[in-house]
Amino acid sequence: VIDRLGPGAYLGEISLLTGSAAEHRARARTPARLARIPEDAFHAVLRSCASVSETVLRTMAERVRRIEHLLQQRERMAGLG
């Protein structure tokens, strides 16, 4: 598990911004509804709304920090044996 997302959360922004393939796997613990935002609509919202752009960039930075921390922990555990 890399992340746990709550109501109102989103994912996939990194792959959209980098042009890479999304390799997400998710499982809902409770009933959930998902909305798929087309790439062109996502980019249009980023261009037209500064607060959305800031939120997306802040979320991406936090996710990258968490992933880096997880990788560092795994490297330390591998170093221990």
Side-chain angles (χ1 to χ4, degrees):
V1 174
I2 292 179
D3 208 352
R4 295 184 190 276
L5 304 176
Y10 58 90
L11 56 90
E13 76 284 353
I14 295 174
S15 58
L16 277 175
L17 292 171
T18 61
S20 60
E23 297 183 21
H24 301 96
R25 273 205 239 164
R27 182 176 10 188
R29 298 174 93 186
T30 60
R33 288 200 267 176
L34 300 176
R36 177 178 238 162
I37 301 172
E39 183 176 355
D40 57 338
F42 176 76
H43 286 290
V45 170
L46 285 181
R47 284 190 302 274
S48 65
C49 186
S51 63
V52 171
S53 297
E54 291 171 13
T55 300
V56 168
L57 291 174
R58 195 176 316 112
T59 301
M60 279 180 33
E62 179 58 33
R63 286 186 181 156
V64 168
R65 278 192 289 273
R66 284 197 306 260
I67 291 169
E68 285 176 344
H69 180 71
L70 177 66
L71 291 174
Q72 289 170 355
Q73 284 181 323
R74 287 183 181 177
E75 287 174 3
R76 276 183 250 159
M77 292 302 287
L80 291 174

